[in-house]
Amino acid sequence: MSDESGTQNTPAGSESGPRPEPLRLFGTTWVNHDNGYALRRVGAGVGSLAAAAASCLVLRFAFEGLRIADTGSFVTLLVVVMFAVCSALAFRHTWDGFGKRPDPDRQASLRGLLAIGFVGSLLAYSFRCLTEAPGEKLHRAEYETALDQHRKRTTRRTGNPSKKRRRS
């Protein structure tokens, strides 16, 4: 049983085994693709694309400020290249993060770069929503592995091993 947000509402102890890890904006609806999963994917994709467009508009105002300040073409070019490179790196880092768990130390060291390249992260999130919930493939693989391990641990043998026929 699940509620509107897709989180599991099972009484404590009624179901044993691993529970799926909820995804941001999707809860656990990614497991069975229920409770508005497709609508959430569309909403998350359109929302992150709109946020990227709004961010580009804000960056445009910043570039206008540089032009008004008359800093020169070199500084303007340097800022444009910085945002482009940081956005490309943030896109790649975010896209790779959907397929494998990021290293916490590397994540901490790239925090500034990812903050500058936020447009790339938003675009990666939006493009990933076209095929799946961002991070779904990684979480599904981990969840299925945990389920298999749980089944192997809890499967009981049938029959009495002492009555087993011995080979001659």
Side-chain angles (χ1 to χ4, degrees):
M1 167 175 31
S2 62
D3 65 5
E4 296 168 10
S5 66
T7 55
Q8 297 292 327
N9 283 339
T10 55
S14 69
E15 183 181 319
S16 66
R19 297 199 183 239
E21 185 178 342
L23 292 175
R24 183 182 305 138
L25 302 177
F26 294 93
T28 56
T29 60
W30 60 268
V31 176
N32 297 320
H33 293 185
D34 57 355
N35 292 336
Y37 168 81
L39 190 60
R40 290 175 195 225
R41 246 182 58 198
V42 169
V46 169
S48 61
L49 193 60
S55 300
C56 288
L57 183 64
V58 170
L59 288 176
R60 174 77 172 116
F61 291 140
F63 293 131
E64 282 296 315
L66 287 175
R67 190 183 62 76
I68 291 170
D70 197 28
T71 56
S73 60
F74 178 72
V75 173
T76 305
L77 179 67
L78 200 60
V79 170
V80 169
V81 169
M82 177 202 55
F83 272 107
V85 168
C86 288
S87 290
L89 291 172
F91 180 94
R92 182 63 181 186
H93 181 77
T94 304
W95 191 266
D96 289 344
F98 295 140
K100 62 181 177 173
R101 295 270 180 191
D103 178 30
D105 294 333
R106 185 170 186 262
Q107 186 83 6
S109 68
L110 292 176
R111 187 169 291 133
L113 181 126
L114 295 174
I116 294 170
F118 63 96
V119 174
S121 293
L122 289 169
L123 290 175
Y125 198 85
S126 179
F127 292 152
R128 189 56 155 211
C129 285
L130 295 174
T131 58
E132 66 176 7
E136 177 183 346
K137 188 175 185 180
L138 172 67
H139 284 76
R140 186 171 302 283
E142 291 174 351
Y143 179 59
E144 288 176 356
T145 301
L147 281 176
D148 288 342
Q149 290 173 352
H150 177 68
R151 281 190 209 110
K152 287 178 183 176
R153 282 193 311 266
T154 58
T155 303
R156 301 184 186 270
R157 294 183 297 181
T158 57
N160 186 349
S162 66
K163 293 185 178 184
K164 185 176 169 182
R165 288 185 12 197
R166 301 204 185 259
R167 293 184 190 177
S168 315

